[in-house]
Amino acid sequence: EKRREIVSAAAELFEEHGFDRTSMSMISERLGGSKATLYGYFHSKEELLEAVLTYDVTVQADRLMNELLAGKNLRAGLIQLGIAYMSRRLSPTPIANVRMVATQPKGSKVGKRFYENVLRPAWQRLADRFELMMDEGILKRAAPWIAAMHWKGLNEWDMFEKRLLGAIDGPDPKEIEKASKAAADAFLILYGANGHKAADRKIPTAPLTAKRPARSRRPQNTPR
């Protein structure tokens, strides 16, 4: 509970002042405690930054997966997921987090560890969900990771770059909805089994940790 409190306070200050201008003293003052207590939980500001990034992505990954699974059918679930993902992706906190990681000094391992330990596993969850749909015959057999990255790119358009560079001030709900619907339809054309019939299929909600029947695997990088 105390760690979550510290992470929450640090996240607020990082967003308000930026990583470089936020000191451990400022964080301890926000918490109303001493720096000694703060250092008892986190040995450095960089370690605290990694905790902020981990907590943010983990919580949001859970929420986004629930958006997908709550859809009445596959198309609706993909649209809901796209809207939720891009609304969050373009909001202040994720943008601030990307900027903080991108401006770490050369030689810093923060970005590499964040990607390998947090970000990639979060996307792997979507890839695993797509693989389950492939096993169920809802999606064509293909490389699940590539399918997940195709879905990501179809939704992002150029909105993320414009937001990161300050060309837009924030998420545009109408633009995001338009992109999410187009992305869902394009994804289903590319990966949906039996054409558009896949759009009306229910999304399997079985836990991804459940043991699935063994099947013959062969390397494939593109859908059939």
Side-chain angles (χ1 to χ4, degrees):
E1 184 177 348
K2 185 63 176 179
R3 283 179 64 88
R4 286 198 300 269
E5 183 184 354
I6 293 171
V7 168
S8 178
E12 291 174 358
L13 287 166
F14 288 159
E15 187 174 329
E16 292 170 13
H17 304 286
F19 177 77
D20 290 335
R21 292 193 297 273
T22 300
S23 65
M24 295 293 267
S25 296
M26 292 169 65
I27 296 169
S28 62
E29 288 173 10
R30 175 68 61 93
L31 292 165
S34 66
K35 280 204 297 184
T37 300
L38 180 57
Y39 278 108
Y41 287 91
F42 297 96
H43 297 146
S44 67
K45 193 170 65 166
E46 288 73 20
E47 186 179 324
L48 187 46
L49 172 61
E50 291 188 53
V52 167
L53 297 170
T54 300
Y55 180 76
D56 180 65
V57 171
T58 302
V59 169
Q60 294 306 319
D62 289 339
R63 184 180 69 85
L64 293 173
M65 190 56 65
N66 288 335
E67 290 286 346
L68 173 65
L69 299 179
K72 64 180 181 179
N73 56 39
L74 179 52
R75 182 177 185 271
L78 289 172
I79 291 172
Q80 288 176 202
L81 176 63
I83 292 173
Y85 167 64
M86 288 307 298
S87 296
R88 174 65 185 175
R89 177 77 158 148
L90 303 178
S91 63
T93 296
I95 291 295
N97 288 345
V98 170
R99 287 171 176 161
M100 282 188 288
V101 173
T103 56
Q104 291 300 295
K106 184 178 179 180
S108 171
K109 301 297 184 182
V110 171
K112 185 175 186 290
R113 287 196 297 266
F114 172 57
Y115 175 78
E116 293 178 348
N117 300 330
V118 182
L119 199 56
R120 195 186 195 289
W123 282 111
Q124 187 63 52
R125 291 177 60 185
L126 181 62
D128 290 344
R129 183 60 61 178
F130 285 160
E131 184 174 20
L132 179 58
M133 295 183 203
M134 293 171 191
D135 292 345
E136 297 288 335
I138 299 171
L139 298 179
K140 298 173 186 175
R141 180 62 59 195
W145 177 260
I146 293 177
M149 293 300 97
H150 280 168
W151 180 88
K152 178 177 180 288
L154 287 168
N155 278 272
E156 289 190 351
W157 288 14
D158 63 344
M159 290 184 284
F160 176 69
E161 286 80 5
K162 289 194 292 187
R163 179 73 173 95
L164 190 65
L165 298 172
I168 57 175
D169 294 328
D172 181 337
K174 290 183 179 180
E175 189 76 0
I176 288 174
E177 182 178 7
K178 177 182 176 182
S180 298
K181 288 180 177 178
D185 290 336
F187 184 84
L188 289 168
I189 289 171
L190 184 60
Y191 289 100
N194 301 315
H196 287 291
K197 292 181 180 179
D200 297 323
R201 294 286 298 274
K202 292 289 292 182
I203 299 172
T205 57
L208 294 175
T209 54
K211 184 176 178 58
R212 301 202 293 270
R215 59 179 176 80
S216 175
R217 291 181 178 269
R218 59 178 177 174
Q220 284 186 292
N221 292 329
T222 56
R224 288 200 296 260

